[in-house]
Amino acid sequence: KRLKNRAINNRLEQDFLAALLKSNSLYLCFLDAIRYDLYPFALALAQAGVPTLLLSPTYASEFGATHPPVFSSVASPGATRSGIPYGTMRAMRWLWALATRGHGQAFGRVEYLRIVARKWLDQMRNVSFEWQLRRLGCRSAWSEYRRRPLLPQIVFGHRALDWPDLASDPHRCYFGTTDQFRKNSDFNWPAVDPGKPVVYCNLSTINGFDRPAASGSEGQVARASFSRVRFRMAERYVQAVLDCFSQQAGWQLFIACGPFYTALKGEVSAPNIHLFERLPQLAVLKQADLAITWGGAGTIRECISLGVPMIILPAWTDQFGNAARVVSCNIGLRGDLMRVTPDELKHMVERVLTDRQFGVSLDGLRKQSNTGQEIDGIVRFVQQHTGLSL
């Protein structure tokens, strides 16, 4: 029943897009590479003859024996080791990534099984769309999140962080620049001691940690309760950070707690810890000496652009591969979220704040991300793969 209803909804979306194409002159379309409705939209665009490119907010790739999936914690760039044993191990990691939704420790068992089931229902729903795409000459391949059409794609991330064989793919373009001029909401900075390091910590917006519409309502408190199984990772993460900094008066912590702010604000009394529901990330990163994060691709991109080293405690999907990339490029450290103690986190913070090599590595990456050059590169990429003159 669920499969049937989803198919009907996607057909309606596809028909809407087809009608839109008939009434408008569309010369180019970009599609989110991990959206659930990628296939029906790609088919409608292919039938209309509209050049289409993918926009990838992650380092997700296609199945291949030369690199592991981004869900894997061993996905660090560098020389790819060849040979049957290494290829077999990478293939096994890919089979695991294709069959699941990555590490399931952020959820209860029943909820995680439902998430995996939805992934496979999506695959079944896309079968008819894929057959029609093949008739139009468009191939497809397995990817970490779902099977997707093989179209040229723009990856929002730094080329130097990806695997060499992926980074050299002519159908893959990278854009690591951050929009530092975007407008942020007004932020009243508390008293900041210029002589003490500023550490920024955020809570991932994935898995329902985004801001509820009814702020402060009973429903929000219930949804944000740490007693729920799906929030156990958030509790482990937040408590480890708070316990660490409550014992270190020489550091200043700015932490965005999302919907957990109400539950936590009455429990934290340390003057060096500043709790917020949300924070303007770029504004805070411009004054931060270190960022503690789950390892989302967007946060990593912004930290690199602003020269902020990281400590990553990954919990879900591509965060493990992102953390491995950060460590391999020596721009941060990685910890085990389920096992890290406040004392271990303290030593990690001390190392990142005192080791100048992290800053040197960050400067090297920043120099490779010239905004003008990357924009020109995207223009050339679009022109090459679509034939359009921009």
Side-chain angles (χ1 to χ4, degrees):
K1 181 178 179 181
R2 178 184 178 86
L3 182 62
K4 181 179 179 180
N5 291 338
R6 288 287 296 273
I8 293 175
N9 291 337
N10 278 277
R11 289 290 182 184
L12 291 174
E13 292 179 357
Q14 186 186 29
D15 292 341
F16 173 80
L17 179 59
L20 190 66
L21 292 174
K22 291 181 180 179
S23 59
N24 294 272
S25 298
L26 192 62
Y27 295 94
L28 174 64
C29 186
F30 296 94
L31 292 179
D32 188 333
I34 61 176
R35 276 187 61 87
Y36 73 93
D37 53 7
L38 172 62
Y39 260 95
F41 276 16
L43 178 58
L45 292 164
Q47 291 172 334
V50 177
T52 305
L53 279 74
L54 298 182
L55 296 179
S56 180
T58 73
Y59 285 102
S61 59
E62 289 81 37
F63 181 93
T66 59
H67 57 275
V70 74
F71 290 176
S72 172
S73 59
V74 300
S76 57
T80 302
R81 295 183 177 181
S82 59
I84 295 178
Y86 297 107
T88 301
M89 289 298 297
R90 286 189 285 267
M92 291 177 63
R93 292 190 176 98
W94 265 106
L95 291 175
W96 159 76
L98 298 180
T100 67
R101 281 300 301 269
H103 299 258
Q105 56 189 0
F107 297 93
R109 293 180 180 178
V110 175
E111 187 173 12
Y112 183 67
L113 289 175
R114 289 175 179 172
I115 292 173
V116 174
R118 283 200 297 269
K119 176 178 182 177
W120 282 98
L121 283 174
D122 285 342
Q123 307 291 3
M124 295 170 60
R125 174 181 52 81
N126 287 332
V127 169
S128 61
F129 295 118
E130 184 169 350
W131 287 343
Q132 296 179 65
L133 273 173
R134 289 183 180 181
R135 294 191 188 102
L136 295 172
C138 181
R139 297 184 300 111
S140 60
W142 288 104
S143 184
E144 292 93 337
Y145 291 91
R146 58 180 50 85
R147 193 172 178 87
R148 65 185 185 185
L150 284 176
L151 297 170
Q153 62 179 306
I154 297 173
V155 179
F156 288 112
H158 294 80
R159 181 185 298 272
L161 260 67
D162 215 349
W163 280 77
D165 64 308
L166 294 175
S168 61
D169 186 349
H171 292 84
R172 199 171 170 97
C173 178
Y174 292 82
F175 190 75
T177 300
T178 296
D179 178 14
Q180 299 185 27
F181 301 100
R182 72 181 182 217
K183 293 183 178 180
N184 288 305
S185 57
D186 294 335
F187 175 58
N188 296 322
W189 281 89
V192 178
D193 188 340
K196 297 180 180 180
V198 173
V199 179
Y200 166 65
C201 178
N202 67 346
L203 190 65
S204 175
T205 54
I206 202 170
N207 302 337
F209 299 130
D210 51 337
R211 185 178 183 178
S215 179
S217 66
E218 293 182 1
Q220 175 195 1
V221 174
R223 289 193 299 273
S225 172
F226 281 134
S227 63
R228 296 185 62 184
V229 174
R230 74 173 305 179
F231 293 148
R232 63 180 179 179
M233 299 297 292
E235 179 183 21
R236 186 75 176 81
Y237 175 74
V238 172
Q239 290 300 333
V241 174
L242 293 179
D243 290 346
C244 171
F245 281 82
S246 64
Q247 304 170 20
Q248 305 298 323
W251 299 334
Q252 302 171 94
L253 175 68
F254 288 76
I255 178 170
C257 303
F260 304 107
Y261 171 74
T262 303
L264 291 170
K265 66 178 181 179
E267 300 180 5
V268 178
S269 58
N272 64 317
I273 298 179
H274 306 282
L275 269 69
F276 301 88
E277 183 178 357
R278 294 178 67 86
L279 284 170
Q281 183 158 291
L282 282 182
V284 179
L285 284 176
K286 289 178 181 178
Q287 298 198 37
D289 299 286
L290 167 66
I292 300 177
T293 173
W294 283 25
T299 298
I300 290 176
R301 186 177 66 251
E302 293 175 358
C303 285
I304 294 174
S305 296
L306 295 172
V308 181
M310 293 157 273
I311 292 177
I312 300 182
L313 305 174
W316 178 242
T317 57
D318 66 315
Q319 295 168 357
F320 291 90
N322 295 339
R325 286 166 164 78
V326 166
V327 172
S328 67
C329 290
N330 199 33
I331 55 176
L333 298 176
R334 170 181 58 186
D336 186 334
L337 180 54
M338 292 303 293
R339 298 182 179 181
V340 67
T341 65
D343 191 55
E344 290 173 344
L345 186 58
K346 182 195 75 169
H347 291 303
M348 294 172 70
V349 173
E350 288 177 340
R351 179 182 170 188
V352 175
L353 290 177
T354 57
D355 191 340
R356 296 183 179 180
Q357 189 58 44
F358 292 109
V360 173
S361 300
L362 280 165
D363 287 339
L365 284 177
R366 292 175 68 187
K367 292 178 181 178
Q368 299 179 35
S369 302
N370 180 279
T371 302
Q373 293 179 356
E374 289 200 330
I375 292 177
D376 291 341
I378 286 183
V379 171
R380 291 193 300 270
F381 184 78
V382 172
Q383 291 176 337
Q384 176 185 355
H385 292 283
T386 64
L388 298 175
S389 179
L390 304 180

